[in-house]
Amino acid sequence: MTTSTNLVYLIALPLFSSALLLLLGRIADKWGHIFATLISASVFAVALIEFFAMQGRDGLARPATQKIFEWISVGSLHVDASLLLDQLSICFVLLISGVGTLIHVYSIAYMSHDHDRRRFFAYLNFFIAAMLLLVLGDSYLNLYVGWEGVGLASYLLIGFWNQKPAYATAAKKAFVANRVGDVGLSLAIMIAFTQFGTVTFAGVKEGAHGASAAALTAIGAALLLAAAGKSAQFPLQSWLGDAMAGPTPVSALIHAATMVTAGVYLITRSNFIFDASPTAQLMVVSVGAITLLFGAVIGTAKDDIKKALAASTMSQIGYMILATGLGPVGYAFAIMHLLTHGFFKAGMFLGAGSVMHGMNDEVNMRRYGAIRKVMPITAATFGLGYLAILGVPPFAGFYSKDKIIETAFNAGGAKGILLGGAALLGAAVTAFYMTRVIVLTFTGTKRWDENAKPHESPILMWAPMAVLALGSVTSGFLLSSGGALVNWLQPIVNENHENHAEEFLPPLVVSLMALVVIAIGVALAVFKYRTVPLVAPTNVSVFTKAARNDLYQDSFNEAVFMRPGQKLTSGLVKTDYKVIDGLLRMIGWIIQTSSTAVRSIQSGFVRSYALIMVLGVLALVVMVWLVTL
Amino acid sequence: MDVSNYVYLSALLFTIGAIGVVVRRNAIVIFMCVELMLNAANLAFVTFSRIHGNLSGQVASFFTMVVAACEVVVGLAIIVAIYRSRRSASVDDASLLKR
């Protein structure tokens, strides 16, 4: 452990900039975007300095901490607002600030026609601050603050154009779905506190050794619920598609590269809990496997380019979650896939944004076609991202995704075959839907609107795309050469140097199998989309209809949760009105009617008062007389 | 003559006064009836003073007279004020407080 004094700047800088831009208002319109971008770049610089400093230290001295202040000290609960930068968090910090800075640069051009650009940048900076707090917090409670912060940033940015009611609804939907997950996180924190008396990662890790299996499973399940909410995993996946209502840079940064991977971070960070609870691990791999297929299937039927990419994100995060459920060997591959995915998916989203920018914000891929001729740079960067997500060697996805498939097969027994098979099938479907996106958008014939005049985007937009494309090409090789990332993360996620001794399938066979299914997927897509009708055909199979409707996730949620929930609340309101309020109203009614009756005694006639007084005195006299008799 | 007769007289006067207060409407008459009741009490005080052979009762009757004098001053002023505003000295007309 080393103490550092720089960590707080990682969060304070963007937070300050965000507050400044929001408080200054229109005064900052002229320079707000430049300022925010510079702040983001300086955060990246601090992150780089810390990264190299960490590399210079060795072994146990690598993690750095900084205590900012004593936050809570109540009874036996002591929580410091302190930060922890270890081998795991630095990966995230570099990804968030690096990709974040690129997307800030991109947004300068992308949002140049929006008169609320300053507010947009303020929110982006706020997001960076919250996300960094999420990955830097040294306890579950600190993480929770960042967790809620990114939820707020996501809500604000999805609903950035909230003048359109549909977008405002999408923001609200994301917020509510996230809230369900947040319940899981707060439950996990509470259980951890009651079990271990502390909520720091180190304390919980220590306590987890001697904890009961039931408690660990409960914490694991609650954490998984939290991860499912934030990372759009089954069964809380429905918000991500609608979250595409936000501006495209937001989709790239928050809903592809960083925030939605917070669930993977949470599970990886809590590896000591999941490693000790096979039941929780089984839940994790099930959720991962279901979601990776779920997202892939939805991706095959979406005509909206951003929604297709969103479904793909859901599916890729499914891969990561699957990997985190595979025990100590899986975490490093999950993080590796997370990092490579951060590059190629952010790059592809920015590419989609670039296409939309040139096509009057058209998102329907059936109205695209042959765009590679007018936007060669966008097409090239998107293509590199495409090769990376498919897992074609030597692009990034090959190194990360094949490792996950391999590890899944190695899980052993029927479970291994099932998970490996699901991952392999997912790879084939991924190849199909990504090829579909490429074919519909960049090749084939023009199907544009006659008003559309597509043109290549300005350098401020294509330069970040180029950098991300470079990452999509090289990051996989760099991260895996010599087991770089695996060794780097070993002290955090795999202390005991565990490795699966038996290999179900040798890596080469897995890679070959993956390549074969990918080739099949690509060939199917190319064959199927030789001609593209302008309007989606309606006489399609049940499965296509289901996929177009997001596999009826919304209808399911509506029928199972929303309507009964509404019935329950309206029933409760009625009960409250009739029973609880009714009781109180009855008391009021009794007093009112009885006092109306009694009030008539007060006639206002002095003589009747005098008479009553006389009678009263007489009565008293009689009583005294009777008593003394 | 038996001293207790004064007590009976006092009780009689008091009753007449009380009945007058209850049955008459004119404020002046009611006022006079109240005076009658006070004087009935005075008579009782003096009588009991005589029976017990000390002066406490007689002193109390002086107090009563002083209070009665004050009461007359205030009471008549109120009656005159009410009469001026309402052109009536009937106590039943001044029954607005019931609302």
Side-chain angles (χ1 to χ4, degrees):
Chain A
M1 280 297 173
T2 316
T3 48
S4 167
T5 51
N6 293 337
L7 301 186
V8 71
Y9 296 117
L10 289 170
I11 295 162
L13 280 175
L15 199 61
F16 166 76
S17 146
S18 157
L20 191 74
L21 293 187
L22 286 176
L23 289 175
L24 283 183
R26 296 262 169 235
I27 306 168
D29 269 356
K30 282 211 178 82
W31 46 269
H33 49 285
I34 310 277
F35 182 72
T37 309
L38 287 178
I39 289 285
S40 178
S42 56
V43 170
F44 184 54
V46 176
L48 275 182
I49 292 169
E50 284 295 319
F51 174 61
F52 287 119
M54 186 188 286
Q55 270 196 324
R57 303 189 295 266
D58 54 65
L60 292 173
R62 271 186 174 161
T65 56
Q66 181 179 7
K67 180 178 165 181
I68 307 175
F69 56 88
E70 195 173 274
W71 183 22
I72 299 172
S73 183
V74 185
S76 61
L77 177 65
H78 295 280
V79 183
D80 289 337
S82 61
L83 305 177
L84 165 72
L85 184 75
D86 61 5
Q87 290 94 324
L88 176 61
S89 357
I90 190 73
C91 297
F92 278 85
V93 171
L94 287 173
L95 178 76
I96 294 158
S97 55
V99 175
T101 306
L102 290 174
I103 286 170
H104 272 79
V105 173
Y106 178 93
S107 307
I108 293 177
Y110 189 85
M111 300 296 286
S112 57
H113 303 303
D114 197 303
H115 73 287
D116 265 343
R117 180 164 64 165
R118 170 193 49 80
R119 185 162 63 89
F120 179 79
F121 275 86
Y123 290 164
L124 273 192
N125 265 353
F126 174 71
F127 168 74
I128 299 266
M131 189 71 201
L132 287 175
L133 177 60
L134 195 164
V135 298
L136 284 174
D138 83 328
S139 71
Y140 283 102
L141 213 55
N142 287 333
L143 177 144
Y144 194 42
V145 176
W147 189 270
E148 292 300 314
V150 293
L152 171 64
S154 161
Y155 167 77
L156 290 172
L157 284 164
I158 294 171
F160 185 72
W161 291 315
N162 56 10
Q163 61 271 33
K164 292 186 187 167
Y167 291 7
T169 312
K172 210 181 279 175
K173 183 176 177 186
F175 200 71
V176 170
N178 268 291
R179 205 89 297 98
V180 177
D182 294 345
V183 171
L185 185 52
S186 50
L187 277 181
I189 294 174
M190 290 177 219
I191 302 172
F193 178 67
T194 54
Q195 290 292 316
F196 313 126
T198 172
V199 291
T200 61
F201 296 134
V204 174
K205 183 179 181 180
E206 221 166 82
H209 284 306
S212 72
L216 289 173
T217 306
I219 297 176
L223 287 174
L224 178 62
L225 180 67
K230 197 57 93 193
S231 294
Q233 296 295 294
F234 184 82
L236 296 174
Q237 77 288 13
S238 64
W239 64 272
L240 189 61
D242 292 305
M244 296 301 124
T248 310
V250 171
S251 310
L253 178 62
I254 302 185
H255 305 117
T258 56
M259 185 194 84
V260 287
T261 57
V264 181
Y265 171 78
L266 183 68
I267 296 181
T268 308
R269 179 55 87 191
S270 315
N271 58 73
F272 36 84
I273 300 222
F274 289 93
D275 288 346
S277 169
T279 321
Q281 271 185 330
L282 187 65
M283 288 193 263
V284 173
V285 288
S286 313
V287 165
I290 291 172
T291 315
L292 83 86
L293 290 175
F294 200 103
V297 169
I298 293 174
T300 58
K302 287 285 165 193
D303 287 335
D304 180 326
I305 186 168
K306 284 180 73 182
K307 292 203 169 164
L309 289 176
S312 160
T313 302
M314 198 190 287
S315 164
Q316 296 301 312
I317 297 172
Y319 272 104
M320 300 170 207
I321 297 279
L322 170 66
T324 56
L326 292 171
V329 280
Y331 296 116
F333 300 135
I335 299 299
M336 196 195 294
H337 195 52
L338 193 157
L339 296 174
T340 58
H341 175 260
F343 284 111
F344 60 68
K345 186 54 67 62
M348 282 196 284
F349 258 116
L350 294 189
S354 170
V355 172
M356 286 162 58
H357 201 64
M359 296 287 285
N360 293 340
D361 287 332
E362 176 68 73
V363 290
N364 187 350
M365 289 191 285
R366 292 181 186 276
R367 309 292 301 190
Y368 289 169
I371 282 182
R372 108 191 101 91
K373 286 177 190 138
V374 283
M375 297 183 169
I377 303 174
T378 305
T381 56
F382 199 99
L384 291 174
Y386 161 76
L387 291 172
I389 193 175
L390 251 55
V392 176
F395 297 96
F398 168 72
Y399 294 97
S400 52
K401 197 153 77 176
D402 276 19
K403 276 291 176 195
I404 294 178
I405 299 175
E406 191 189 317
T407 319
F409 271 120
N410 289 347
K415 181 182 155 198
I417 293 173
L418 215 58
L419 295 177
L424 207 57
L425 182 62
V429 184
T430 306
F432 177 83
Y433 70 72
M434 283 315 300
T435 310
R436 179 174 174 270
V437 170
I438 288 277
V439 169
L440 289 186
T441 307
F442 292 104
T443 66
T445 50
K446 285 195 233 180
R447 300 181 299 275
W448 311 335
D449 200 61
E450 54 261 25
N451 299 328
K453 291 184 193 63
H455 51 85
E456 187 55 88
S457 301
I459 181 166
L460 275 180
M461 280 170 72
W462 68 253
M465 282 150 60
V467 176
L468 289 170
L470 190 69
S472 325
V473 177
T474 57
S475 63
F477 174 72
L478 291 177
L479 289 172
S480 66
S481 67
L485 187 73
V486 175
N487 292 338
W488 176 256
L489 288 177
Q490 191 153 45
I492 308 289
V493 298
N494 191 4
E495 280 174 305
N496 306 324
H497 304 268
E498 272 181 46
N499 270 315
H500 278 278
E502 49 179 303
E503 277 187 346
F504 180 74
L505 290 168
L508 194 65
V509 175
V510 173
S511 296
L512 278 178
M513 278 164 57
L515 281 178
V516 169
V517 297
I518 288 165
I520 294 172
V522 171
L524 270 178
V526 171
F527 176 74
K528 191 163 187 311
Y529 295 99
R530 281 161 305 170
T531 57
V532 183
L534 270 184
V535 181
T538 46
N539 56 337
V540 289
S541 67
V542 195
F543 302 107
T544 314
K545 274 188 189 145
R548 276 188 194 154
N549 287 314
D550 300 327
L551 300 180
Y552 302 113
Q553 55 189 11
D554 289 333
S555 322
F556 177 82
N557 284 348
E558 245 174 57
V560 176
F561 298 112
M562 194 193 96
R563 299 209 185 286
Q566 279 180 334
K567 288 238 173 70
L568 180 71
T569 47
S570 66
L572 285 178
V573 166
K574 241 180 227 160
T575 317
D576 181 55
Y577 184 78
K578 293 212 164 137
V579 178
I580 314 249
D581 287 5
L583 212 66
L584 290 175
R585 270 198 308 275
M586 201 174 76
I587 294 172
W589 178 84
I590 288 171
I591 291 177
Q592 202 178 11
T593 42
S594 59
S595 57
T596 310
V598 175
R599 200 177 63 141
S600 58
I601 295 173
Q602 301 287 332
S603 58
F605 294 112
V606 176
R607 296 179 307 128
S608 63
Y609 299 161
L611 178 64
I612 289 167
M613 208 168 104
V614 169
L615 292 179
V617 170
L618 276 181
L620 270 177
V621 168
V622 170
M623 273 197 287
V624 170
W625 182 63
L626 284 177
V627 168
T628 53
L629 200 65
Chain B
M1 199 165 110
D2 188 7
V3 193
S4 58
N5 286 337
Y6 290 98
V7 180
Y8 295 137
L9 178 62
S10 157
L12 190 66
L13 286 175
F14 191 89
T15 311
I16 292 169
I19 290 171
V21 166
V22 174
V23 298
R24 299 302 297 262
R25 284 202 189 85
N26 193 317
I28 304 283
V29 177
I30 289 176
F31 210 58
M32 284 168 13
C33 290
V34 170
E35 291 300 313
L36 193 60
M37 287 160 77
L38 286 170
N39 283 317
N42 272 352
L43 183 59
F45 271 128
V46 175
T47 310
F48 287 123
S49 163
R50 175 85 181 188
I51 290 170
H52 293 295
N54 65 19
L55 289 175
S56 305
Q58 310 224 9
V59 174
S61 75
F62 278 114
F63 277 103
T64 313
M65 279 179 213
V66 173
V67 170
C70 299
E71 190 216 335
V72 168
V73 172
V74 177
L76 275 178
I78 293 172
I79 289 167
V80 170
I82 289 178
Y83 183 77
R84 277 191 182 159
S85 64
R86 297 179 181 279
R87 294 275 135 210
S88 149
S90 165
V91 286
D92 286 1
D93 287 346
S95 62
L96 292 174
L97 264 183
K98 72 180 171 184
R99 292 173 201 241

